[in-house]
Amino acid sequence: TELECSSVLLRESSDAGLARLRQALAPLVSPQSQALLRSIGFAQAAFLLAAYSVEIARAKAGSCATVLRYFSNSAVASSSLLPAVESIAGLAIAAYVRETTSRRWSVEASLAASGLEHETSPPRVIAQVRELMVASCHHLELVSTWGQRFVDRILRAFPQALLDRTVVCTLLELVQLVWKSCKAEQDDQFVPVYWFTSRTLDVTLQFPDSISYRKSLFEQFSTCARRWLELVAGAAPMELETLLQIYLATPCDDDDLNYEPHIGRALALEVATGIRYGMGAAADVSVAATALPPNASPFAFRLGQRGFLRGRIDPTTDAQTLKRTLTDVYVLARESPGAPLPADGPSIREVADAMSHATHFVVAAPHVDRELL
């Protein structure tokens, strides 16, 4: 309505001007929307062309999540222009992926120009993925659907964007938050709750009164989360397993007593124990041997080891003992390269435990111990 009453556009709203706008929009919309162009007016054509120009510019600048705001507008979502806007959204994410591939937005230039260090400024792609993951749990179905499509498109192009601790935590905690909204059907059936907060993410999401939509959203988003994790597990299994170990070993801020089921952690455990290392298909073994996922036993051991070492490390941990043990092993290795350790020396297991303990000590210490490192 505002565009139709704009005095600036009214001066340009001639038949020739409308024909030029329709001609400019023709290659931008899907073939199914070509008939729409013949029926729209000057103001609607100007809106679509302006939306395309703005969102493509934003995508090339490293931001594609803003296009989802059109789908949260009831006037756009219920209008005949929706198919054209959806075409523009598809072009925006394609431009974002193309521009990110060519320019590699690993660090936002504006943050670097403001004086922030590389370590303190999150990669631009990671920030976009986290924002889109939150949008994937939106209370409006159109927004959540397109948010999931955007994340899927980005992760297929850049699976390494999920290899970040904050992104993994965001994804799995959002799964838990959506599940909580479904669980409210039994917990809060007499006093409906529409807002759910994750203290871990410091995020609050609004959900509609419809329990059926909440359940549908949980099914769709949990399926997407599993697919994204398995996609990255195929590309970088060791890195993803390490991130899932860190996530599972970190206490949850939303459940102080750890009594409530956590669907996000259950999904992390299921994906981690199903990670396959090596190339090629799995070996042909008996049914009894495949009863457990291939990585179940090693993952459980490494997760337990991480928790054990994490519990052993405290401000009173004696780093000098670790240094002496590792120094003795190093001296023996230099004096007799390739020879086995002496019988009265530390065993291979003791050396491995000392190295693991030292690694965790270096990570947990407030200051870097360069000698131990």
Side-chain angles (χ1 to χ4, degrees):
T1 303
E2 293 181 1
L3 289 176
E4 291 175 347
C5 298
S6 172
S7 58
V8 176
L9 289 179
L10 286 176
R11 291 197 297 267
E12 301 291 335
S13 58
S14 61
D15 292 340
L18 178 58
R20 287 195 301 270
L21 292 180
R22 289 175 175 173
Q23 184 178 3
L25 287 171
L28 307 180
V29 299
S30 62
Q32 295 79 8
S33 302
Q34 292 296 328
L36 171 67
L37 297 181
R38 293 191 293 268
S39 61
I40 61 175
F42 189 89
Q44 293 172 318
F47 165 74
L48 291 176
L49 195 58
Y52 168 78
S53 302
V54 170
E55 296 308 324
I56 293 299
R58 286 173 173 170
K60 291 182 177 180
S63 176
C64 63
T66 54
V67 72
L68 298 181
R69 297 174 185 173
Y70 293 96
F71 300 121
S72 63
N73 188 299
S74 58
V76 174
S78 60
S79 71
S80 59
L81 299 180
L82 180 60
V85 175
E86 291 180 328
S87 298
I88 292 173
L91 294 173
I93 186 60
Y96 175 80
V97 171
R98 184 171 58 253
E99 195 71 16
T100 304
T101 303
S102 60
R103 295 193 180 185
R104 298 188 181 277
W105 289 90
S106 58
V107 178
E108 185 179 1
S110 60
L111 288 178
S114 64
L116 296 178
E117 298 294 334
H118 173 83
E119 292 79 10
T120 61
S121 56
R124 186 63 176 267
V125 177
I126 290 176
Q128 282 291 289
V129 170
R130 293 186 65 194
E131 184 178 352
L132 290 170
M133 283 180 175
V134 175
S136 299
C137 303
H138 202 273
H139 63 277
L140 296 177
E141 183 177 5
L142 196 58
V143 179
S144 64
T145 299
W146 275 95
Q148 293 166 16
R149 290 179 184 176
F150 275 29
V151 176
D152 195 77
R153 182 72 179 272
I154 292 175
L155 290 183
R156 290 187 182 279
F158 316 108
Q160 64 270 27
L162 193 58
L163 294 177
D164 181 85
R165 181 177 179 179
T166 59
V167 178
V168 170
C169 181
T170 299
L171 176 62
L172 296 172
E173 289 297 322
L174 285 174
V175 171
Q176 173 68 3
L177 203 59
V178 179
W179 177 80
K180 280 185 176 181
S181 72
C182 300
K183 184 172 174 285
E185 181 182 14
Q186 287 80 30
D187 297 345
D188 307 297
Q189 54 182 332
F190 299 110
V191 182
V193 178
Y194 305 103
W195 300 89
F196 294 83
T197 300
S198 170
R199 288 184 292 171
T200 303
L201 300 179
D202 192 23
V203 168
T204 298
L205 294 181
Q206 178 188 5
F207 293 96
D209 190 41
S210 173
I211 296 297
S212 61
Y213 172 75
R214 297 184 185 186
K215 292 180 178 180
S216 175
L217 177 61
F218 172 72
E219 181 179 357
Q220 294 174 6
F221 186 68
S222 59
T223 300
C224 288
R226 181 190 302 276
R227 183 173 67 250
W228 297 334
L229 290 171
E230 290 176 348
L231 174 69
V232 178
M238 185 176 297
E239 291 81 355
L240 180 63
E241 181 185 318
T242 301
L243 291 173
L244 293 177
Q245 284 185 17
I246 295 174
Y247 173 75
L248 291 171
T250 303
C252 179
D253 295 334
D254 295 292
D255 185 13
D256 298 329
L257 300 178
N258 292 318
Y259 284 160
E260 185 177 46
H262 199 294
I263 306 303
R265 290 176 177 268
L267 177 59
L269 184 61
E270 184 177 348
V271 171
T273 55
I275 291 177
R276 291 182 180 272
Y277 288 92
M279 302 296 293
D284 185 15
V285 294
S286 65
V287 176
T290 57
L292 287 177
N295 196 39
S297 180
F299 178 79
F301 170 77
R302 288 190 288 267
L303 181 60
Q305 183 187 46
R306 177 183 292 274
F308 175 69
L309 294 174
R310 187 172 180 268
R312 288 176 60 188
I313 296 173
D314 55 47
T316 62
T317 299
D318 185 11
Q320 297 303 321
T321 302
L322 291 173
K323 294 177 182 179
R324 285 195 297 268
T325 301
L326 296 177
T327 300
D328 293 342
V329 174
Y330 177 74
V331 171
L332 290 172
R334 288 292 301 271
E335 292 178 350
S336 305
L341 293 174
D344 57 346
S347 64
I348 295 298
R349 171 59 62 188
E350 291 173 341
V351 173
D353 288 344
M355 293 181 67
S356 297
H357 195 177
T359 301
H360 284 266
F361 182 89
V362 170
V363 173
H367 303 289
V368 177
D369 190 330
R370 297 186 180 276
E371 185 178 5
L372 184 60
L373 187 61

